[in-house]
Amino acid sequence: MEAGSGTTLDMDAGTPPAEPEGGVPETPLTAKPTKPYLKKFIEPESDEELVGDLRQLYNVHESWRTLLSLPSCQKVMVSENAQKNMHIEVGLNVTQEFPWKQVTFKDLRDILFEELENVIDLMKLFKNFNQDNYVLIGFCPLLTEADEDPPEGDPFIFFSNPKDTKTAMGIIQNMEAFERWRMQRRLRKKPRRWVSQGTENEMTILVEHFKDEPIDVEIQSVYPIQEPKHLAFDYRMARDVRDGVIELLPNENIKFDNVTRRRITVSVQSAPALIHREQQTNPTFPSNAWSQYLYEIDEGDLELDETDVEEEEGKLPKPTSPVEPDEEVPVKPPPEMSEQIKLLLNTLDFNQIDSYRDDYLLISNKQVTQYTNQYLQEFICFANISKSNKRFVAGYDWYPRLSGLIAVSYAFSTPATINVATNQVDWVQQAVLQPNPVLMWSFADNLNYKLEFEAPIETTALTFCPFNGDLLLGGCKNGQVVIWDLQGRCERLDEEEYLTAAQAKYRTMIGDFLNWTIELDEDVVIAPATISPLENSPKGAITGFYWLGKQFYLNHFGKVYTDPDTRVQHKFFITCAFDGTVSFWNLEPSSKREKDKMRTRLLPKELTQSESPIKAQMVKPTYNLYFNEPLTGIIADTSVFSIRTPPPKMIMESPANYPTSLVPKNPPTLRQSMIVSTFYGHINRVEWLGMYTEADPKEIVNSSVQFAMVHDGPVVCVRKNPFYPELFVSIGRTVFALWKEDYPYSAIFWRKRPCDLTAVSWSETRPAVLYITRIDGILEAWDILARDDDACLIEILGGGIITGITEHRPSLPYKILGIGDYNSSIRMVKLPHSFDVPLDNELQKLMNYVLKEERRKIGIQAWEQKYYELNKDIIEAKREAEEDTRKEMERIEREEQLNSRKRQADAEEENAASSKPTAGLAYNERMAVLWDELNLNRMMTILMSRKQMDPEKLARETALQKEQLSYEAAKKESHVKLLSTLDSEINTIRSRILPAEVPDLQRSEMIQERIKHEMEMADTYEKVAEDSFEILNMFNEFKPIDYIEFLERGRQRRQLLDQSLGGNTDRLLWYQEKVKNMEIYECQFGYEFLYSNQPESERPSDVPAMAEALQSNTDTKSHTSE
């Protein structure tokens, strides 16, 4: 048990401790502390480190004093109606154990402020406060405990300053951690060190006693004395035997059905071989007890001279010196104990033995690496349901100048999501009335977003400019590019404005005059600086942004150039859209912008200091490429970036947001070629030449090289390796593949997963690690060098789709992975340490692995080519035969379709002729109807041309669907034909398998006659029963034997047999114990289904009968033993 201490913390969570007995009284909560109590609670490693007073570990009383003394802490009394409306009802929503709640400022203002008297002061405190932000409010009964007549309502406190709210949340987290530790410590007691009570002085069995005096001992033994055979024992170490453990695991797709065998009690007479053991001595005391004799020595025995004893033994006497009575006799040191005895004593100190202890270290000198299961730890979650409800995370990017800042856009659909056809959506109402949220979140605050970017339409992709971190680019659903200018707002997110009394008064007075205006928080809401023109932008949703190196630039004719002047920094980027357009953009200001600067130079500074330098800048594509399939990503000679972080000391000062900078890794050249992934499941390499014309700079490109078809659905994402740019990964439906740019013949490797894949991302610290998300909410981490057949880590993150994944580039203080899940929230999880620290020479190992696989596949390709050349005639003959067969099947199918269409057209003509309203009309009326039909076709053609729809493209895109519909119709027709002939085919097969039986009448008659003869010759049941009882009555030994005594004799014979053969009687003893305790019906023997018809109420009635039989059995047993 624990030693008593001067104080205890027996209190509810959130309530300060009472005054300790005999200790210093606590300071009242209303007293203002000298300094805030911001101590962080650290759980002790063991109970031995605890001090007597737990307040030295963490003081809850001082924490509450600090909370109540914060400058923006407001104390209010809330009525029951207001509690119900705000969902903070005492006892239901908040308690003394969990007193804290988050309430939106809108509910607090509309519900609570109306009941308070100081509503004007509170509104001034919440000036410029966003109504969608949350306010921390808590139930604090301590405010009215000392009042004899408390006011109406329950006491609550809340904080009006975000900084105080953040401080209060830190204190509350420490208090909750301390309370959880204290309750866990009270519920689970750990074993403590053994406290000696003096009993170890009596346990002397393990201590050797050396006696100098002769002792007479009487020993009885069996004659003749036999010496046992000498057995030599030695140590069997783990290193002496070559053994190991192998775990054979089945495939995860194989499901085994467990078949439980019925338990049947079977008697077994086999027993181990009988071994005779003999004992040499036969002591007079019981063998299972130990004894120690106390010998008494009289005073006369002490006068015996030691020289007499030594002379009798034939030894010379040794000179002895008299021992003075005052001289201290040296104490004999205790005998040295072995390591095993020390381990045993240390184990007995705690009065327990660990049955699961690993004894490998005691029997082996070799160290074994201990492996643990890796897991993801959730760090923080960003969500604002009021703005992102029923949306998915579409675009995301990290702020390049500060760590822990991420911009996220939300959309109703992404390339990885599945839209249900039954959901009816009003697209016009959704585009006009629904907001298009683009928010910036910070690790320093997980409750409220830091910045909000206004967007005219849904934003599907985001990226920060690596050369100017204040520029955020967004790709819209209609193909436009939006640019926001932050103007250094991220560096001022946590700054607070301090006003003098006169300034605060003046601001309040001005606010009273401007109450009729709409409040706009210009520091939080950022309007677009510029938007690309709709007529010059792509027509489909933007699916990706890619930045070119600062030394590359493109002219209006599509030609790529490299600038030899290193001082010039070009800002070119590439976008790909869902309509198949690849656009090259330039962020450099035009000459028109210089004229605008000259025009605004004469304006006052106050009118131009908040204006973005790129405002009114015309941003449009420099050059466009068009591909005939929807694009989801590109792989080109674009830049990849790494991060540069400050020293660890500066990071620890501000772990959430510390300054960083991007380091670009630019390719040496920019080729006029790129790899594109399409929504049709293709990966192609395209090349562009450029156009020498002043017309619309748009070039139509075709596939020059097509990569191998390995994906079974749309390719939704491709990502380039940041360490090995020639390597990229692609995901499509349920397959992900690893590719090398210059080897399109086959993927380096590809794997099929159990369900659809949604996003992929490479690690920023390890070249061979990538992360894949699935539609069922599972994250897979792949380490290619460790294993390439399956994922190294599979973590379930939820039951819904994951639409995005991104890794936080800095590694300190933790390696963070951002995941956009199905409920429009982006969650940050901490990665295991093994995915953060790179291996030795990992990049070179990855390159060797890729090159080895490439050489292997090239060898296979060469072998296939050689085999084809050796057997060209046979292969070509088979191919031609297959081609002819395919063409013949297509011809027959086309003829069948043509005939069916002709029959259908004839039937329609007949129906139209019979029901055509123009059949009996005059010539001019029939011509009017024909003119209307021609006019309708002409209007449809004009409408399609204005909608920029190509009839050939429409026919080409719908051909597959029409073919599928015709195939389904033919399939249904064939099913109907098969069902109509099913009965006849079943009868035919049945007649073949089951032939008609021909009865053998002669054999049946012989069997019937034999049975009739036997029945006539057999005796009746009464005659057989009478003869049996007569035979039994002739045995006289059955008369004096009772039935119970008969069973008891059989049981004793069985027991003697078991003892003589060495059988196992544990089951019998177990059965007797269960019957004695009346627990036999609680056991599951496996044949309970035989008694399923018996009602449960009848079973307990057998227990008294069982008990009476057991009692009679016991009496008989005792009688027999007597």
Side-chain angles (χ1 to χ4, degrees):
M1 298 180 63
E2 296 181 10
S5 59
T7 181
T8 58
L9 291 175
D10 298 333
M11 59 183 177
D12 295 335
T15 306
E19 181 179 342
E21 298 180 2
V24 180
E26 299 284 0
T27 309
L29 291 174
T30 56
K32 188 173 182 180
T34 57
K35 61 179 181 178
Y37 185 78
L38 301 176
K39 182 179 180 180
K40 184 177 181 181
F41 170 69
I42 300 176
E43 184 177 346
E45 296 182 357
S46 63
D47 293 346
E48 301 297 335
E49 300 179 7
L50 296 181
V51 296
D53 193 354
L54 291 181
R55 289 179 298 178
Q56 299 179 7
L57 190 62
Y58 189 80
N59 196 329
V60 181
H61 187 85
E62 292 296 330
S63 300
W64 272 100
R65 286 184 59 206
T66 304
L67 286 176
L68 296 178
S69 63
L70 290 176
S72 64
C73 178
Q74 304 295 327
K75 309 174 183 62
V76 294
M77 303 297 294
V78 185
S79 62
E80 294 183 359
N81 294 331
Q83 294 177 18
K84 291 180 180 179
N85 295 332
M86 296 170 62
H87 303 288
I88 55 171
E89 190 173 357
V90 177
L92 182 62
N93 304 112
V94 296
T95 59
Q96 287 190 355
E97 185 177 1
F98 302 101
W100 300 100
K101 194 78 173 178
Q102 290 179 350
V103 182
T104 59
F105 172 65
K106 182 179 179 181
D107 297 340
L108 192 72
R109 180 191 61 189
D110 298 342
I111 300 174
L112 180 61
F113 285 6
E114 295 180 356
E115 301 181 355
L116 303 178
E117 298 178 357
N118 57 342
V119 60
I120 300 177
D121 298 336
L122 293 176
M123 291 299 294
K124 291 179 180 180
L125 291 175
F126 285 97
K127 188 68 173 178
N128 298 329
F129 199 86
N130 192 353
Q131 64 178 0
D132 294 332
N133 289 356
Y134 289 90
V135 179
L136 183 65
I137 187 170
F139 173 58
C140 184
L142 303 173
L143 299 175
T144 58
E145 281 186 350
D147 298 342
E148 296 181 358
D149 188 11
E152 184 180 357
D154 294 317
F156 281 82
I157 63 174
F158 61 87
F159 303 93
S160 60
N161 192 350
K163 184 177 180 180
D164 293 345
T165 302
K166 190 185 301 183
T167 305
M169 288 180 64
I171 297 174
I172 292 167
Q173 290 177 358
N174 289 327
M175 292 171 62
E176 291 179 351
F178 174 72
E179 291 298 332
R180 286 195 299 269
W181 171 82
R182 185 183 62 83
M183 295 303 297
Q184 185 179 9
R185 177 172 166 267
R186 289 171 60 103
L187 295 176
R188 184 178 63 190
K189 293 294 184 180
K190 296 182 180 179
R192 301 185 179 277
R193 187 172 296 278
W194 175 265
V195 179
S196 174
Q197 302 293 339
T199 56
E200 69 275 4
N201 297 328
E202 301 177 5
M203 302 297 294
T204 57
I205 187 172
L206 298 178
V207 180
E208 295 186 27
H209 296 275
F210 299 94
K211 299 295 184 180
D212 296 337
E213 302 293 337
I215 300 174
D216 296 333
V217 180
E218 179 185 358
I219 299 176
Q220 296 180 3
S221 61
V222 179
Y223 182 81
I225 299 176
Q226 297 179 356
E227 295 183 359
K229 182 180 179 182
H230 178 70
L231 297 176
F233 293 92
D234 56 353
Y235 291 101
R236 180 180 180 267
M237 301 298 181
R239 59 177 175 269
D240 299 334
V241 181
R242 294 185 61 186
D243 52 5
V245 178
I246 298 176
E247 183 180 11
L248 300 178
L249 299 176
N251 192 350
E252 61 180 5
N253 297 326
I254 299 178
K255 304 297 182 181
F256 295 97
D257 296 332
N258 295 329
V259 180
T260 305
R261 296 184 60 186
R262 185 174 61 184
R263 183 178 295 177
I264 301 174
T265 305
V266 180
S267 58
V268 180
Q269 296 184 357
S270 62
L274 183 62
I275 301 175
H276 296 278
R277 301 184 185 276
E278 296 183 0
Q279 187 176 3
Q280 183 176 350
T281 59
N282 187 13
T284 58
F285 50 85
S287 60
N288 58 349
W290 61 274
S291 303
Q292 183 174 355
Y293 295 97
L294 178 62
Y295 299 98
E296 297 180 358
I297 302 177
D298 298 335
E299 294 180 358
D301 298 334
L302 296 176
E303 298 177 357
L304 181 62
D305 191 1
E306 296 179 358
T307 57
D308 298 339
V309 180
E310 292 177 354
E311 289 177 358
E312 292 178 0
E313 295 179 355
K315 297 181 181 178
L316 294 176
K318 295 182 180 180
T320 58
S321 60
V323 179
E324 298 179 1
D326 297 337
E327 185 178 356
E328 295 182 357
V329 180
V331 180
K332 184 179 180 181
E336 296 183 359
M337 294 181 292
S338 62
E339 295 295 334
Q340 286 77 7
I341 296 298
K342 290 181 181 179
L343 178 61
L344 178 61
L345 294 179
N346 292 333
T347 303
L348 294 178
D349 281 345
F350 295 97
N351 197 18
Q352 66 175 2
I353 297 176
D354 187 7
S355 301
Y356 302 97
R357 183 182 59 202
D358 185 10
D359 294 333
Y360 184 82
L361 299 177
L362 301 177
I363 61 177
S364 177
N365 298 327
K366 296 181 180 180
Q367 297 294 332
V368 178
T369 305
Q370 184 178 4
Y371 297 95
T372 58
N373 293 330
Q374 300 173 350
Y375 63 94
L376 299 178
Q377 181 181 0
E378 186 164 353
F379 170 62
I380 204 170
C381 181
F382 300 129
N384 191 312
I385 305 302
S386 62
K387 293 185 177 297
S388 60
N389 188 23
K390 297 180 181 179
R391 292 174 175 86
F392 301 98
V393 175
Y396 41 82
D397 196 15
W398 298 94
Y399 185 64
R401 293 182 181 176
L402 287 176
S403 68
L405 293 177
I406 183 172
V408 185
S409 66
Y410 305 89
F412 287 99
S413 63
T414 65
T417 56
I418 300 175
N419 296 325
V420 183
T422 56
N423 293 341
Q424 300 295 331
V425 180
D426 189 349
W427 302 105
V428 177
Q429 182 180 3
Q430 178 177 298
V432 175
L433 301 179
Q434 293 292 339
N436 306 306
V438 179
L439 308 176
M440 175 174 280
W441 300 90
S442 173
F443 286 174
D445 187 3
N446 65 329
L447 296 178
N448 305 309
Y449 56 86
K450 292 298 182 182
L451 297 176
E452 180 180 0
F453 303 91
E454 293 181 351
I457 201 167
E458 274 189 20
T459 305
T460 57
L462 287 177
T463 181
F464 279 99
C465 178
F467 314 109
N468 184 6
D470 285 335
L471 297 182
L472 175 63
L473 284 73
C476 297
K477 192 174 183 180
N478 62 347
Q480 289 181 290
V481 174
V482 185
I483 302 178
W484 296 276
D485 192 354
L486 277 68
Q487 297 180 331
R489 287 184 174 87
C490 292
E491 285 75 6
R492 304 191 302 269
L493 289 177
D494 295 332
E495 291 183 2
E496 295 186 3
E497 184 180 13
Y498 297 96
L499 303 177
T500 63
Q503 291 174 342
K505 182 179 179 181
Y506 178 76
R507 182 165 295 185
T508 304
M509 182 180 64
I510 293 299
D512 294 338
F513 284 110
L514 300 177
N515 282 336
W516 57 274
T517 60
I518 300 176
E519 296 183 3
L520 295 177
D521 194 350
E522 296 181 355
D523 293 335
V524 176
V525 180
I526 301 176
T530 182
I531 304 176
S532 64
L534 184 62
E535 60 272 10
N536 297 330
S537 303
K539 302 304 183 287
I542 302 295
T543 56
F545 285 91
Y546 307 90
W547 291 91
L548 297 181
K550 60 182 180 180
Q551 73 274 21
F552 303 121
Y553 66 94
L554 212 77
N555 62 6
H556 292 282
F557 303 110
K559 293 296 181 179
V560 178
Y561 298 95
T562 302
D563 196 340
D565 189 0
T566 57
R567 295 172 299 176
V568 179
Q569 290 188 359
H570 299 277
K571 300 176 183 178
F572 276 84
F573 65 93
I574 309 174
T575 62
C576 58
F578 207 71
D579 64 338
T581 303
V582 178
S583 303
F584 296 85
W585 306 73
N586 186 12
L587 275 182
E588 291 182 352
S590 60
S591 59
K592 183 180 178 182
R593 181 61 187 169
E594 301 295 333
K595 296 180 181 180
D596 294 339
K597 285 185 178 180
M598 295 294 296
R599 182 174 54 84
T600 59
R601 182 177 297 177
L602 300 177
L603 294 177
K605 181 181 178 181
E606 289 77 7
L607 297 179
T608 59
Q609 63 181 358
S610 62
E611 185 178 357
S612 173
I614 65 170
K615 186 177 181 181
Q617 177 182 344
M618 179 65 71
V619 178
K620 63 180 182 179
T622 304
Y623 194 74
N624 292 324
L625 304 177
Y626 177 74
F627 192 68
N628 58 355
E629 294 183 12
L631 301 182
T632 58
I634 64 173
I635 299 295
D637 294 332
T638 55
S639 299
V640 293
F641 302 92
S642 60
I643 199 74
R644 182 186 292 118
T645 57
K649 183 178 180 181
M650 184 182 296
I651 294 176
M652 293 308 168
E653 292 177 358
S654 178
N657 305 119
Y658 54 86
T660 59
S661 60
L662 290 181
V663 179
K665 300 178 183 178
N666 300 322
T669 59
L670 178 60
R671 297 169 293 179
Q672 292 191 184
S673 173
M674 64 177 61
I675 300 172
V676 297
S677 62
T678 69
F679 200 69
Y680 294 161
H682 303 150
I683 299 177
N684 303 294
R685 176 175 287 277
V686 298
E687 297 178 354
W688 76 92
L689 302 176
M691 297 177 63
Y692 295 94
T693 178
E694 296 294 339
D696 185 17
K698 185 175 183 181
E699 179 182 353
I700 299 177
V701 294
N702 295 320
S703 174
S704 61
V705 178
Q706 186 172 0
F707 284 67
M709 288 287 295
V710 297
H711 297 289
D712 56 351
V715 180
V716 297
C717 186
V718 290
R719 288 291 183 268
K720 182 195 297 187
N721 192 313
F723 300 92
Y724 189 14
E726 296 181 2
L727 191 68
F728 69 94
V729 63
S730 63
I731 58 172
R733 195 64 182 274
T734 61
V735 175
F736 91 94
L738 198 68
W739 304 88
K740 196 169 180 291
E741 282 189 8
D742 54 355
Y743 186 67
Y745 172 74
S746 174
I748 300 301
F749 73 85
W750 62 273
R751 299 290 180 265
K752 188 176 179 64
R753 308 311 299 154
C755 61
D756 293 359
L757 306 178
T758 57
V760 63
S761 175
W762 286 97
S763 174
E764 298 290 343
T765 54
R766 290 196 55 190
V769 173
L770 56 90
Y771 308 101
I772 298 174
T773 58
R774 298 179 358 193
I775 200 171
D776 57 353
I778 293 180
L779 170 69
E780 296 183 356
W782 287 72
D783 189 348
I784 301 173
L785 296 181
R787 58 183 302 184
D788 58 3
D789 60 328
D790 201 357
C792 296
L793 174 64
I794 298 178
E795 191 79 12
I796 301 175
L797 300 177
I801 184 175
I802 298 176
T803 57
I805 182 171
T806 176
E807 184 178 352
H808 191 218
R809 287 191 179 98
S811 300
L812 294 177
Y814 308 105
K815 195 62 179 176
I816 304 300
L817 191 67
I819 297 166
D821 59 7
Y822 58 95
N823 53 4
S824 69
S825 64
I826 184 163
R827 300 158 59 184
M828 300 294 165
V829 296
K830 298 178 184 178
L831 285 173
H833 189 64
S834 60
F835 292 100
D836 183 15
V837 180
L839 304 179
D840 295 336
N841 203 12
E842 183 175 356
L843 179 57
Q844 186 61 38
K845 292 179 181 178
L846 177 63
M847 296 174 65
N848 295 337
Y849 171 82
V850 173
L851 295 177
K852 182 192 69 174
E853 291 294 322
E854 183 182 5
R855 289 193 299 269
R856 184 178 66 84
K857 292 182 179 295
I858 290 175
I860 295 175
Q861 186 180 7
W863 178 86
E864 290 179 352
Q865 184 66 24
K866 184 177 180 180
Y867 179 81
Y868 172 76
E869 292 176 356
L870 295 176
N871 304 276
K872 184 176 181 180
D873 299 336
I874 301 175
I875 296 175
E876 289 296 334
K878 289 183 178 180
R879 184 177 298 174
E880 290 178 0
E882 293 176 357
E883 186 69 19
D884 295 340
T885 305
R886 184 182 63 81
K887 290 181 179 180
E888 183 66 21
M889 294 296 294
E890 290 179 355
R891 186 186 64 79
I892 295 173
E893 185 177 358
R894 283 197 301 270
E895 289 180 357
E896 292 179 355
Q897 292 179 0
L898 183 61
N899 294 333
S900 62
R901 290 175 184 175
K902 189 175 181 181
R903 289 193 298 269
Q904 185 178 0
D906 294 341
E908 290 178 357
E909 289 179 0
E910 293 177 359
N911 296 332
S914 60
S915 62
K916 191 173 182 179
T918 61
L921 297 178
Y923 175 76
N924 57 349
E925 294 178 354
R926 290 199 303 271
M927 291 298 103
V929 173
L930 183 58
W931 170 256
D932 292 338
E933 293 178 358
L934 294 176
N935 192 21
L936 178 61
N937 294 333
R938 183 179 62 84
M939 292 175 64
M940 290 294 295
T941 305
I942 295 173
L943 184 61
M944 292 180 67
S945 63
R946 290 186 178 181
K947 291 292 185 179
Q948 297 183 0
M949 297 180 64
D950 188 5
E952 296 180 359
K953 181 179 178 182
L954 182 62
R956 185 171 60 252
E957 292 178 354
T958 57
L960 183 62
Q961 185 177 4
K962 292 179 179 178
E963 184 179 355
Q964 183 179 1
L965 293 175
S966 61
Y967 171 75
E968 291 179 355
K971 186 176 179 181
K972 290 180 180 179
E973 185 179 356
S974 64
H975 284 178
V976 172
K977 291 181 180 179
L978 288 175
L979 291 175
S980 61
T981 59
L982 185 62
D983 295 336
S984 61
E985 291 181 358
I986 290 176
N987 295 330
T988 304
I989 295 172
R990 184 177 296 171
S991 62
R992 293 177 181 176
I993 298 176
L994 302 175
E997 296 182 358
V998 180
D1000 190 355
L1001 301 178
Q1002 184 178 3
R1003 178 178 175 82
S1004 301
E1005 291 177 358
M1006 291 175 59
I1007 293 173
Q1008 290 179 1
E1009 291 179 358
R1010 181 68 179 271
I1011 291 173
K1012 184 177 180 181
H1013 177 72
E1014 292 294 336
M1015 292 296 294
E1016 291 177 355
M1017 297 298 295
D1019 297 333
T1020 60
Y1021 174 76
E1022 291 79 5
K1023 183 67 170 62
V1024 173
E1026 183 179 355
D1027 294 343
S1028 301
F1029 279 114
E1030 183 178 355
I1031 294 172
L1032 288 174
N1033 292 332
M1034 293 174 60
F1035 292 96
N1036 297 327
E1037 295 181 359
F1038 286 130
K1039 294 181 179 180
I1041 298 177
D1042 189 33
Y1043 180 70
I1044 300 299
E1045 185 177 357
F1046 180 77
L1047 294 178
E1048 180 62 22
R1049 288 184 181 182
R1051 189 190 65 78
Q1052 291 179 359
R1053 285 194 299 271
R1054 177 58 186 269
Q1055 187 175 3
L1056 292 175
L1057 264 174
D1058 289 342
Q1059 293 177 358
S1060 62
L1061 296 175
N1064 189 3
T1065 59
D1066 293 340
R1067 292 188 178 181
L1068 180 60
L1069 295 176
W1070 174 83
Y1071 177 76
Q1072 292 176 354
E1073 186 69 21
K1074 292 295 181 181
V1075 172
K1076 183 178 180 181
N1077 297 333
M1078 298 183 183
E1079 299 176 355
I1080 194 65
Y1081 285 108
E1082 299 178 2
C1083 302
Q1084 302 292 335
F1085 292 100
Y1087 52 83
E1088 286 78 5
F1089 62 90
L1090 297 175
Y1091 303 97
S1092 58
N1093 296 329
Q1094 182 180 359
E1096 296 292 337
S1097 59
E1098 296 180 3
R1099 293 187 182 180
S1101 62
D1102 298 337
V1103 177
M1106 183 73 73
E1108 293 178 2
L1110 179 63
Q1111 184 65 29
S1112 62
N1113 193 0
T1114 306
D1115 296 342
T1116 307
K1117 180 178 179 182
S1118 59
H1119 176 70
T1120 307
S1121 61
E1122 291 175 0

